[in-house]
Amino acid sequence: MIIRGQFKTFGFRFSLIAVIGGLISLIYFILFGVGNTPIAAQFFLYFVLILLLSIYGKLLYDANLISINTKDKTVTFVNIFTRNSSKYNYSDFDGKLVWYEPIRGGYVRNFYFIQNKKAVKKISGFIYSNQNDLEEELIDIKDFGTTKYSYLKSWKVFFSIPIID
């Protein structure tokens, strides 16, 4: 049996709009240049570009088409933008870790696959509407439990630094 991740329309579209907005801002900046833009607008533009690039980086990391084959005990991730595909057996992971990331109005549940003490892949409740179904199929993977969210751990995940002690 194969289970596929289903995108939530709001989370995915919000991220995609942010990326498109960033690209439009970058094109504007390239076309009109620094000389024609007031200093305050330049600072604002740099701030917006950094923010949008960080959202774009997060989207590149998170936006995967996920397929779980329960018969073969494999998980396949295909990145939407780069089309880079990676396939893992359940045994390739040391375990799984859950943490709740704060967002406006509450928390989102993030499910990380741990390999060599590093988070290698993620299933985010912000992006996937059937996250609970996906997690139920991965019950055979060792559970590292739930941990508290911190910005330091978030940066460690982003730069592939070990998060498990």
Side-chain angles (χ1 to χ4, degrees):
M1 179 173 168
I2 296 178
I3 308 246
R4 298 189 194 295
Q6 298 172 353
F7 287 113
K8 282 184 178 177
T9 55
F10 172 75
F12 182 71
R13 287 185 181 161
F14 174 75
S15 301
L16 194 59
I17 288 169
V19 170
I20 291 169
L23 292 175
I24 289 171
S25 300
L26 184 61
I27 291 169
Y28 170 83
F29 190 65
I30 290 170
L31 289 178
F32 294 104
V34 179
N36 296 332
T37 308
I39 297 291
Q42 287 180 29
F43 282 121
F44 177 74
L45 187 61
Y46 289 135
F47 173 75
V48 168
L49 284 175
I50 289 169
L51 179 67
L52 292 174
L53 286 174
S54 65
I55 291 172
Y56 181 66
K58 189 170 177 64
L59 181 63
L60 275 178
Y61 179 75
D62 292 344
N64 290 301
L65 300 171
I66 298 174
S67 299
I68 300 172
N69 188 331
T70 56
K71 183 180 176 188
D72 295 340
K73 296 195 180 232
T74 59
V75 183
T76 305
F77 299 90
V78 179
N79 189 282
I80 291 176
F81 299 105
T82 63
R83 301 315 262 174
N84 186 21
S85 175
S86 52
K87 187 175 187 176
Y88 298 93
N89 291 318
Y90 287 10
S91 60
D92 293 340
F93 300 117
D94 298 334
K96 58 190 176 189
L97 179 70
V98 173
W99 78 36
Y100 292 89
E101 185 174 345
I103 60 170
R104 181 181 285 186
Y107 291 89
V108 66
R109 180 181 169 98
N110 291 332
F111 181 90
Y112 288 91
F113 293 98
I114 306 298
Q115 188 179 47
N116 299 326
K117 298 183 179 184
K118 299 176 187 175
V120 290
K121 292 294 178 183
K122 171 182 172 182
I123 300 174
S124 175
F126 186 70
I127 294 180
Y128 300 102
S129 63
N130 65 337
Q131 180 186 19
N132 291 334
D133 298 335
L134 296 171
E135 288 182 28
E136 284 177 14
E137 298 302 325
L138 301 168
I139 206 139
D140 295 337
I141 299 173
K142 180 182 175 185
D143 190 6
F144 286 132
T146 303
T147 187
K148 218 173 178 186
Y149 176 82
S150 72
Y151 288 108
L152 178 62
K153 281 187 182 178
S154 180
W155 283 105
K156 285 182 175 183
V157 168
F158 188 74
F159 289 111
S160 296
I161 297 171
I163 60 170
I164 302 291
D165 297 326

